[in-house]
């Protein structure tokens, strides 16, 4: 929340905090205010360091972590929008997790030649995370935590198709990461989000975790994953 006079409201908004500003205009047309610009991450080497830091913190402090290589990159708004496959002309993405693999299905048979099931073999797996460039460091850390939650869920509960459960879980893990760092302002935005997928999904996942603990939440995710496994 902020207060601005009528004249100030005519100014362009900072893409990161949405507050009207006379700040710097980036090459792609976005505007960033001086406060956000002070910690903005635009260098790929610095961004990789932030990514590694968040991944380590989540693994050791929250118990959410994987060991496979993840290709991490900064991305422009247009690149993120294109990679997401969104059909809308409205560009809003700040991060994206992409998983790709070649899957081979091999049928299993018993002694009499009857089919008993299938075994899936995955080859050429790739895990990629893209994050919007020029985000302030704290906001970038939150986005990275969200995308790393998708990475963890893809490994442990690959059958989940409910988009609200997937995004709600990612927001819940990012909320826990923010709580670990006592970032209440970011968490208030997550808690107050009215979106039917991100906001309602977060509140559903948090209710389950508060009622049944994290082990109970994992049981819920396991059931959701098995519902859509083929």
């Amino acid at each position: 929340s902020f207060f601005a006079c009528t004249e100030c409201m005519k100014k362009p908004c900072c893409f990161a905090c949405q507050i009207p500003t006379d700040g710097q205009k980036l090459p792609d047309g976005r505007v960033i205010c001086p406060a956000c610009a002070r910690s903005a991450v635009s260098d790929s080497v610095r961004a990789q360091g932030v990514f590694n830091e968040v991944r380590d913190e989540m693994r050791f402090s929250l118990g959410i972590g994987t060991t496979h290589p993840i290709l991490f990159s900064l991305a422009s708004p247009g690149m993120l929008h294109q990679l997401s496959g969104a059909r809308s002309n409205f560009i809003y993405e700040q991060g994206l997790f992409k998983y790709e693999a070649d899957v081979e299905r091999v049928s299993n048979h018993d002694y009499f030649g009857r089919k008993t099931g299938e075994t899936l073999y995955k080859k050429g797996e790739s895990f990629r995370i893209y994050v919007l460039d020029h985000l302030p460091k704290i906001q970038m850390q939150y986005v990275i935590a969200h995308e790393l939650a998708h990475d963890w869920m893809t490994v442990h509960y690959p059958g989940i198709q409910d988009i609200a459960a997937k995004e709600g879980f990612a927001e819940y893990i990012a909320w826990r990461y923010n709580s670990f760092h006592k970032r209440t302002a970011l968490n208030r935005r997550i808690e107050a989000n009215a979106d039917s997928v991100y906001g309602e999904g977060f509140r559903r996942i948090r209710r389950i975790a508060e009622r049944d603990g994290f082990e109970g939440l994992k049981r819920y995710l396991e059931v959701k994953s098995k519902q859509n496994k083929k």
Side-chain angles (χ1 to χ4, degrees):
S1 298
F2 64 91
F3 172 80
C5 69
T6 305
E7 289 303 310
C8 285
M9 287 300 294
K10 295 177 183 178
K11 297 177 181 180
C13 290
C14 171
F15 85 93
C17 67
Q18 299 302 308
I19 293 177
T21 181
D22 287 322
Q24 174 189 358
K25 190 170 184 178
L26 300 176
D28 55 33
R30 288 176 294 165
V31 175
I32 186 168
C33 72
C36 289
R38 279 195 289 271
S39 66
V41 181
S42 57
D43 176 76
S44 60
V45 174
R46 184 184 174 206
Q48 184 69 56
V50 174
F51 175 81
N52 294 342
E53 176 186 331
V54 175
R55 193 178 189 190
D56 287 343
E57 286 182 330
M58 289 183 62
R59 181 186 296 121
F60 297 116
S61 299
L62 302 183
I64 300 293
T66 55
T67 58
H68 54 251
I70 299 175
L71 297 176
F72 172 76
S73 303
L74 291 178
S76 66
M79 179 182 177
L80 269 180
H81 192 62
Q82 183 178 7
L83 287 168
S84 73
R87 297 179 180 179
S88 168
N89 290 327
F90 180 65
I91 299 177
Y92 61 88
E93 295 89 358
Q94 293 192 345
L96 180 68
F97 168 76
K98 287 187 74 70
Y99 168 74
E100 295 177 337
D102 296 322
V103 179
E104 180 182 359
R105 295 176 180 267
V106 177
S107 298
N108 303 321
H109 299 85
D110 63 15
Y111 180 79
F112 300 102
R114 295 173 298 194
K115 184 176 179 180
T116 58
E118 287 185 333
T119 301
L120 300 182
Y121 294 95
K122 295 181 180 180
K123 297 182 294 183
E125 286 186 301
S126 69
F127 301 82
R128 297 175 180 267
I129 287 178
Y130 301 89
V131 172
L132 185 63
D133 60 15
H134 287 89
L135 282 175
K137 182 180 177 181
I138 289 176
Q139 194 165 339
M140 180 172 283
Q141 289 173 321
Y142 151 68
V143 174
I144 291 171
H146 177 105
E147 303 306 335
L148 283 171
H150 282 309
D151 171 65
W152 186 85
M153 177 180 271
T154 297
V155 171
H156 292 89
Y157 308 104
I160 294 180
Q161 297 179 11
D162 181 351
I163 188 67
K166 293 171 73 171
E167 296 299 344
F169 176 78
E171 283 290 84
Y172 172 70
I173 295 302
W175 178 85
R176 284 184 57 196
Y177 178 83
N178 290 338
S179 298
F180 177 73
H181 285 283
K182 298 179 172 57
R183 293 170 181 167
T184 56
L186 272 176
N187 275 351
R188 281 198 295 268
R189 290 170 59 184
I190 296 174
E191 293 162 358
N193 191 346
D195 184 81
S196 60
V197 173
Y198 288 81
E200 289 302 323
F202 160 75
R203 287 183 282 276
R204 185 211 308 177
I205 294 296
R206 186 174 65 167
R207 282 195 298 269
I208 295 170
E210 289 176 342
R211 184 188 66 210
D212 303 327
F214 194 67
E215 290 303 313
L217 176 58
K218 289 197 289 187
R219 289 192 295 270
Y220 168 81
L221 296 175
E222 182 68 29
V223 170
K224 295 285 287 184
S225 184
K226 287 180 178 178
Q227 285 175 349
N228 297 300
K229 266 190 175 179
K230 295 181 180 179

